[in-house]
Amino acid sequence: MNVATVLFGLFLFLSGFCTAYSCKGCVNVDQWSWEKIVPKFRAALVKFDVAFPYGDRHDTFTKLAEEFADNKDIIIVQVGVKDYGDKENKELAEKHGIMSKDDLPTVQLFIQNQTTPIDLPLSKNKEWSLSKLRNFVRVNTDIYVGLPGCLEKFDKLANKFIASSNKEEQMKKAELLAKNLKEKEKSSAKTYLLFMKKIIEQGAKFVEQEASRLGKILKDGKVKEQKKEELSQKINILQSFENKKDEL
Ligand SMILES: *[C@@H]1O[C@H](CO)[C@@H](O)[C@H](O)[C@H]1NC(C)=O
């Protein structure tokens, strides 16, 4: 084996290693920075985990962090706990009831001005789902938890729209709201408006029919990656027109 091969192998190893525990939108907090960060936010969702986390549960948590990247009310935090060497953050973890490696990962939600955090009831389960993590935040805070592609104000209007007997009036409000949006939000707003129009024309049954139609296209393997994202965002927006209760 020559030097170049060894170096290339090392490069592959390290790059794999780095992507494994990176977490876009997460903040790594330790026992020294905890007080400077966690209490400053209306809510902090904290994952106590091993120092170099990887795997399905970590990936799910990472996806949630990405979804919340634009949300200024909540911070998504990772704490790497070591039970060897300098035992970094071990004391911090113990303070929050995480006594051994077997308790990792654990997710807790810290609400500003409240002394005790809320434990994510699913921590001990093998599988974490994005929707359960999302609902955990939604149920325990008053923070807006939108699905990808959804817009807070339009979600609220969609709720009113579905409940209202004067849907045209609600749609006019949405049209006004759509005028002053950032570029990124415009295409989402367009989708809300299109769905409103269709519901006025075809009735509430449109929601279910369209969801099943889009779902079928999405499942069809031929759809390109970017189109897939677009479709799933449309399906998310459709959900804002459903009359459903939160469930955990
Ligand atoms: C926590 O207390 C501070 C100071 O009283 C207040 O400004 C802040 O809004 C409170 N946070 C929440 C989420 O109630």
Side-chain angles (χ1 to χ4, degrees):
M1 235 188 325
N2 62 27
V3 175
T5 317
V6 172
L7 283 179
F8 186 62
L10 189 68
F11 166 76
L12 283 183
F13 171 74
L14 285 177
S15 53
F17 195 55
C18 292
T19 50
Y21 67 85
S22 77
C23 182
K24 280 187 215 160
C26 285
V27 172
N28 282 302
V29 169
D30 58 25
Q31 61 206 60
W32 299 281
S33 55
W34 179 274
E35 277 302 316
K36 282 199 226 171
I37 293 168
V38 172
K40 297 292 191 304
F41 290 83
R42 274 177 58 203
L45 189 71
V46 181
K47 172 159 78 72
F48 294 91
D49 207 338
V50 293
F52 303 104
Y54 61 91
D56 289 347
R57 288 187 282 187
H58 176 67
D59 292 345
T60 305
F61 191 77
T62 303
K63 284 196 194 113
L64 187 81
E66 260 187 271
E67 280 186 23
F68 278 116
D70 288 332
N71 194 318
K72 292 180 177 62
D73 291 324
I74 182 165
I75 189 160
I76 311 296
V77 168
Q78 277 200 120
V79 176
V81 185
K82 283 189 191 164
D83 64 353
Y84 55 90
D86 55 9
K87 303 219 157 88
E88 197 175 309
N89 302 326
K90 192 162 189 285
E91 219 173 288
L92 180 65
E94 282 172 358
K95 195 180 150 194
H96 295 104
I98 298 140
M99 307 315 282
S100 84
K101 224 177 157 177
D102 298 336
D103 295 332
L104 300 175
T106 286
V107 173
Q108 294 180 346
L109 182 66
F110 292 79
I111 309 283
Q112 198 173 42
N113 305 337
Q114 288 184 16
T115 41
T116 5
I118 306 160
D119 262 300
L120 176 64
L122 299 146
S123 292
K124 306 289 176 285
N125 290 2
K126 287 223 163 66
E127 296 272 329
W128 290 0
S129 81
L130 195 54
S131 65
K132 278 178 181 159
L133 283 176
R134 229 187 255 130
N135 270 332
F136 177 61
V137 176
R138 185 184 288 145
V139 168
N140 290 296
T141 68
D142 53 5
I143 289 168
Y144 169 72
V145 182
L147 297 170
C150 292
L151 304 171
E152 182 173 8
K153 285 183 179 154
F154 282 83
D155 272 356
K156 284 188 180 142
L157 267 177
N159 272 326
K160 280 196 195 146
F161 174 90
I162 281 300
S164 172
S165 53
N166 190 348
K167 296 203 179 343
E168 284 80 4
E169 189 195 343
Q170 297 298 329
M171 187 171 166
K172 280 208 182 91
K173 283 187 192 164
E175 281 167 348
L176 278 179
L177 200 60
K179 285 192 175 139
N180 302 305
L181 287 179
K182 287 181 225 150
E183 210 49 49
K184 199 176 141 194
E185 299 167 337
K186 272 189 184 150
S187 70
S188 287
K190 241 189 223 167
T191 305
Y192 280 93
L193 286 171
L194 176 71
F195 289 162
M196 286 182 179
K197 185 169 165 265
K198 293 284 186 190
I199 292 166
I200 290 173
E201 286 168 7
Q202 301 176 21
K205 68 176 191 305
F206 168 80
V207 177
E208 211 179 300
Q209 286 169 355
E210 184 68 358
S212 111
R213 188 184 75 88
L214 295 177
K216 270 184 207 139
I217 303 176
L218 190 63
K219 280 204 192 89
D220 181 0
K222 289 180 210 111
V223 186
K224 289 209 181 79
E225 211 48 48
Q226 198 199 337
K227 182 82 183 158
K228 261 189 198 162
E229 201 181 307
E230 208 181 294
L231 280 168
S232 62
Q233 293 197 357
K234 280 191 177 154
I235 292 171
N236 289 343
I237 292 175
L238 265 180
Q239 287 185 37
S240 307
F241 288 94
E242 278 168 13
N243 261 330
K244 62 165 194 204
K245 291 190 192 89
D246 284 331
E247 57 214 44
L248 189 69

